[in-house]
Amino acid sequence: MSTSTKRPQRLIQGNEACAHGALYAGCNFYAGYPITPSSEVMEILSTEMPARGRTFIQMEDEIASISAIIGGAWGGGKALTATSGPGFSLMQEGIGYAAITETPCVIVNCQRWGPSTGQPTKGAQGDVMQAIWGTHGDHPVIVLTASNVRDAFEMTVKAFNFAEEHRVPVILLLDEVLAHMRENIDWPEPGEIPVVDRARPASAKGFKPFENNTFLPFGAGARFHVTGLAHNADGFTVGDEAAARELRRMVGKVQSKVRELAMFDRLRLDDATLGIISYGITSRPAAAAVEILRSEGIRAGLLDLKTLWPFPDHLVREVADRVDRIVVPELNMGQMVREITRSVGGRCEVQPCTRIDGHLLTPAQIVEAAKATLAADGSPGQRPIGCGTCCSERTVHS
Amino acid sequence: MSETYRQFLRASQLPHVWCPGCGNGTIVKAFLQAVEDLKLEQDRVVVVSGIGCSGRTPFVLDFNTMHTTHGRAVAFATGVKLANQGLHVIVIMGDGDASAIGGNHFIHACRRNIDLTALIFNNGIYGLTGGQLAPTTPTGKRSTTSLAGNIEPPFDIVRLALGAGAGFVARTTSFDHKQMTSLIRRAIQYKGFSVVDIMTSCPTYFGRMNDVAEPYDMVHYLRDTTSPMQDCTCRKSEHSCETDHEHEHAEQLAEELGVELSPTGVFREEARTDYGTLYMRKLEAAVAARNGRGGAS
Ligand SMILES: Cc1ncc(C[n+]2csc(CCOP(=O)(O)OP(=O)(O)O)c2C)c(N)n1
Ligand code: SF4
């Protein structure tokens, strides 16, 4: 990301960046229900949306909120809701409906410590698997995350772009720390970040709502049916092989775009022998850990994933082919590390590094986890340590 | 089939899925008659339903149609309407849909007063899932999950809607086509959230479980357990009455059938400013204030 001193800058919070990213992306429909640590997104939009002639409504709960944004999308809106763990759990029903009806919409989840009410004001990265798999049945979804305030802005815009282009619900995972953290960011000029709008069919006549990614809202001259039942291109019920074919198409349209959807940052990976793969807020201490390790003569590098789903196997394997060890720091009991281990497929050792007390991993902790994978002479060792939360030294998440 | 209905039906989706004798078809007929009477533009009509036998209605209707999730239809409809206030949005819900799983959305929709028309297909039972107890099943009546008779008191959807603050509240039955058509028409015309509780027959489950299995008997059951308000002296609900004699007769019939008599007609029709209009006012003021301050960022 470029920085230039001439650019307008603003000292803002992650949630503010997210709200302004949504406005920048042309979001014109917000429905939500307050919950810490996401509420600022909603509070800001409650005044900014009407002031721009756009629609904002506070609903009675999160099930209503996700339902309303899906309805809003079919009414023609670019729709957003923001929530946190307990609300995100309630939204799973609607996310499944958005997936099967290929409804473009964005769901922001400012993760907090869970399960249940947990610790509302403590950050975590415990909802990664829920974001990917939370609603029942196989389904298409895109999951993004952000590791700094500028990212929170930009990833919100990207989330809308992906939702619009691929007609799919996009989940943006923030977390309590990023949501409430303030940073000075370059304020994006109009046009600086591309904004994508859903493609329209050439004509309303003969429009089939589920044939491809073109979209028409209700009242635009085509009368059609939308349902959460398995359906064909016309929206009418099908079963058996036709249902299987439609599901393959829906999931496939996201999976087949994995390279195009993969967003990431790389730091000092070129000559690295030790890779750190992280995402979201944890990429900050991870970047610091890379520098500490380097200063101690260990050639470390970082892959910061911003697209978590579809899972960018190609990026992970690229790192795995180069390094001897991969360390995966995250604020949960080991979620992405499983996906990364699968992806690495034995190319190198994978070491989890987790923390679940509601605080961020420190660079020192990541350094320690990285060093523990190395023998005394700095060469790759044979001794995986425990993940730090639940595992003993020798049994790592078995 | 008359031309009126044909133009609003999707031939490809017929025949519908409902059982012989089901009351839902007659409600659809009344609804389509109301749409025709009001000359609503077909392209601008949106029908949003939940899940249930009632939820299957939109499949056969040639409007913009949305079959959503169980209980949430009114929340989806809220989104559709606010995103495009030029649409006529009709919400079709089952009684379980609206008052059990969707009870929260329903009462808030009544309170919020968005210009939507809610038609509740109230058969007093869960039809689609095979005849289980609904919050509207009268006390004592049987279902597949209350074989010995329901021990819970039922929800009265009209009172629920009145209590939650809806501006237009009516009840009718699929037995009374004329009343049903006229009340649906008035509900659509009402600017704000309107509710029509339509008591309808499910001979397959409610009927078979409660000794009114014949569709003909079920229709008579509807007739005998309801009473148009001009014939009724009951003061339990907010309505007026005329002749004591007829009311007593109706109450007696209902009592013989083991349920409380349900008055039908319009319970409330109050002119109010709907949410959409209020929101547009707020929006215009906010836009003006923002522009006055020298532009947005
Ligand atoms: C979340 C969820 N829970 C349960 C169901 C199963 N289900 C489908 S329809 C229904 C009840 C149907 O009764 P009602 O709403 O009264 O409509 P009717 O079929 O009688 O028209 C239930 C429990 C579901 N589809 N979704
Ligand atoms: S089960 Fe009852 S409500 Fe459902 S279609 Fe049959 S008769 Fe109608």
Side-chain angles (χ1 to χ4, degrees):
Chain A
M1 272 158 267
S2 63
T3 43
S4 142
T5 45
K6 288 191 211 83
R7 304 273 316 278
Q9 292 212 325
R10 278 204 199 175
L11 178 67
I12 59 165
Q13 201 189 45
N15 277 342
E16 256 180 292
C18 173
H20 284 278
L23 294 167
Y24 185 99
C27 166
N28 57 11
F29 192 96
Y30 184 94
Y33 188 78
I35 184 168
T36 303
S38 73
S39 297
E40 292 85 0
V41 175
M42 177 173 198
E43 287 167 354
I44 292 165
L45 293 177
S46 74
T47 51
E48 293 300 326
M49 294 288 271
R52 288 167 166 79
R54 310 181 191 179
T55 304
F56 169 94
I57 185 168
Q58 178 165 333
M59 296 300 289
E60 55 274 13
D61 61 30
E62 289 86 350
I63 303 178
S65 303
I66 183 95
S67 303
I69 69 162
I70 298 168
W74 286 99
K78 255 187 151 174
L80 171 73
T81 189
T83 187
S84 184
F88 192 57
S89 290
L90 288 183
M91 287 185 185
Q92 296 306 324
E93 171 188 298
I95 291 171
Y97 187 87
I100 199 172
T101 56
E102 301 174 69
T103 304
C105 57
V106 177
I107 301 106
V108 173
N109 174 10
C110 295
Q111 296 169 95
R112 67 191 221 184
W113 195 101
S116 190
T117 309
Q119 300 189 73
T121 58
K122 290 285 165 64
Q125 295 180 303
D127 305 350
V128 178
M129 287 298 141
Q130 187 192 22
I132 300 168
W133 300 115
T135 195
H136 56 281
D138 291 304
H139 59 276
V141 71
I142 294 172
V143 181
L144 308 180
T145 188
S147 51
N148 57 57
V149 172
R150 162 79 195 204
D151 246 13
F153 189 113
E154 206 163 317
M155 289 305 130
T156 305
V157 180
K158 290 272 160 54
F160 274 100
N161 288 352
F162 288 164
E164 294 288 306
E165 189 177 344
H166 304 288
R167 271 188 64 178
V168 66
V170 178
I171 295 159
L172 173 61
L173 292 178
L174 305 180
D175 67 89
E176 190 278 334
V177 178
L178 179 54
H180 290 153
M181 183 173 78
R182 284 175 193 277
E183 284 185 301
N184 217 11
I185 70 163
D186 289 340
W187 198 251
E189 306 281 350
E192 182 182 329
I193 309 172
V195 169
V196 178
D197 281 313
R198 57 198 72 167
R200 289 228 171 197
S203 140
K205 208 161 165 274
F207 172 65
K208 289 180 190 288
F210 305 103
E211 190 169 41
N212 51 42
N213 286 341
T214 60
F215 184 95
L216 270 185
F218 292 147
R223 294 189 300 271
F224 54 83
H225 187 58
V226 179
T227 177
L229 287 170
H231 51 261
N232 60 18
D234 289 314
F236 295 113
T237 320
V238 292
D240 305 321
E241 184 45 36
R245 196 169 53 235
E246 285 304 308
L247 184 55
R248 270 188 228 110
R249 177 186 61 75
M250 286 189 285
V251 173
K253 76 176 182 178
V254 169
Q255 293 299 334
S256 65
K257 297 280 170 20
V258 59
R259 282 172 187 267
E260 185 179 312
L261 295 169
M263 291 184 297
F264 57 92
D265 269 343
R266 281 200 189 102
L267 177 71
R268 308 192 75 165
L269 274 171
D270 285 349
D271 63 343
T273 54
L274 189 147
I276 301 175
I277 302 183
S278 63
Y279 55 95
I281 193 71
T282 303
S283 292
R284 301 169 72 96
V290 166
E291 299 310 329
I292 297 171
L293 287 162
R294 290 254 169 192
S295 73
E296 296 179 14
I298 298 164
R299 296 209 307 273
L302 172 69
L303 173 64
D304 171 20
L305 298 177
K306 299 184 190 297
T307 301
L308 302 183
W309 198 262
F311 188 77
D313 281 306
H314 61 292
L315 295 176
V316 171
R317 289 185 186 146
E318 221 174 82
V319 176
D321 283 338
R322 187 171 295 174
V323 302
D324 306 316
R325 278 279 191 282
I326 289 175
V327 178
V328 184
E330 50 187 336
L331 300 178
N332 52 47
M333 291 176 76
Q335 297 195 10
M336 270 318 235
V337 70
R338 289 167 182 269
E339 200 61 38
I340 289 168
T341 304
R342 176 198 58 72
S343 186
V344 165
R347 288 171 174 81
C348 69
E349 293 290 336
V350 179
Q351 170 64 44
C353 170
T354 69
R355 184 164 183 174
I356 55 160
D357 63 356
H359 296 277
L360 295 187
L361 277 159
T362 62
Q365 284 173 315
I366 299 172
V367 166
E368 191 189 343
K371 281 193 190 163
T373 68
L374 302 171
D377 63 357
S379 65
Q382 298 302 314
R383 192 177 61 89
I385 58 161
C387 74
T389 54
C390 66
C391 310
S392 70
E393 291 219 337
R394 296 230 158 257
T395 55
V396 179
H397 281 299
S398 52
Chain B
M1 201 194 304
S2 114
E3 283 311 308
T4 300
Y5 309 119
R6 196 191 299 274
Q7 64 171 309
F8 296 135
L9 291 173
R10 288 180 175 136
S12 69
Q13 297 305 303
L14 292 170
H16 57 64
V17 296
W18 296 316
C19 307
C22 176
N24 290 355
T26 58
I27 307 178
V28 169
K29 185 174 173 188
F31 168 58
L32 296 182
Q33 183 64 56
V35 170
E36 164 73 7
D37 293 348
L38 295 170
K39 301 273 173 277
L40 301 185
E41 195 189 326
Q42 197 166 351
D43 275 347
R44 305 200 73 77
V45 175
V46 182
V47 181
V48 181
S49 74
I51 300 289
C53 295
S54 47
R56 292 305 185 100
T57 310
F59 286 75
V60 300
L61 301 182
D62 192 7
F63 300 118
N64 302 281
T65 55
M66 196 168 193
H67 175 235
T68 68
T69 50
H70 191 29
R72 325 294 177 207
V74 74
F76 280 87
T78 295
V80 173
K81 179 71 183 184
L82 293 184
N84 182 351
Q85 292 203 45
L87 300 171
H88 306 284
V89 184
I90 316 297
V91 191
I92 291 178
M93 293 177 277
D95 44 290
D97 221 17
S99 70
I101 191 164
N104 195 31
H105 311 306
F106 178 63
I107 56 174
H108 285 279
C110 291
R111 174 184 68 78
R112 201 175 273 132
N113 197 32
I114 294 177
D115 187 19
L116 302 168
T117 300
L119 306 179
I120 297 170
F121 290 23
N122 183 353
N123 54 18
I125 204 152
Y126 285 1
L128 191 74
T129 42
Q132 298 85 4
L133 185 73
T136 46
T137 306
T139 309
K141 293 296 176 194
R142 288 189 293 274
S143 72
T144 57
T145 50
S146 63
L147 288 175
N150 178 20
I151 57 170
E152 297 180 21
F155 259 145
D156 175 332
I157 291 194
V158 164
R159 290 188 207 173
L160 188 63
L162 291 169
F168 181 101
V169 182
R171 180 188 286 125
T172 184
T173 74
S174 60
F175 157 75
D176 190 344
H177 185 74
K178 212 170 139 200
Q179 186 197 45
M180 186 166 51
T181 310
S182 117
L183 293 187
I184 293 175
R185 200 166 46 221
R186 275 170 71 181
I188 295 174
Q189 278 176 304
Y190 180 77
K191 180 89 171 143
F193 191 71
S194 51
V195 180
V196 189
D197 176 22
I198 308 172
M199 300 183 74
T200 182
S201 50
C202 170
T204 303
Y205 291 113
F206 188 90
R208 280 197 304 171
M209 302 293 298
N210 293 290
D211 308 322
V212 275
E214 283 302 316
Y216 174 86
D217 294 334
M218 255 274 30
V219 170
H220 281 182
Y221 173 91
L222 284 179
R223 181 195 64 188
D224 295 341
T225 55
T226 57
S227 170
M229 281 192 282
Q230 62 272 23
D231 302 334
C232 171
T233 56
C234 175
R235 295 204 176 273
K236 285 178 210 147
S237 301
E238 295 178 14
H239 65 274
S240 60
C241 43
E242 276 160 17
T243 61
D244 281 351
H245 167 73
E246 290 208 6
H247 173 69
E248 269 164 28
H249 175 66
E251 267 204 335
Q252 197 184 329
L253 268 178
E255 202 181 312
E256 280 167 23
L257 289 162
V259 296
E260 232 184 89
L261 185 72
S262 296
T264 63
V266 175
F267 291 76
R268 183 187 289 158
E269 186 172 19
E270 254 175 44
R272 295 183 188 167
T273 313
D274 70 293
Y275 179 100
T277 305
L278 292 172
Y279 187 81
M280 289 314 287
R281 280 185 204 157
K282 166 173 135 173
L283 179 150
E284 278 156 21
V287 169
R290 178 62 59 91
N291 291 343
R293 269 200 261 129
S297 57

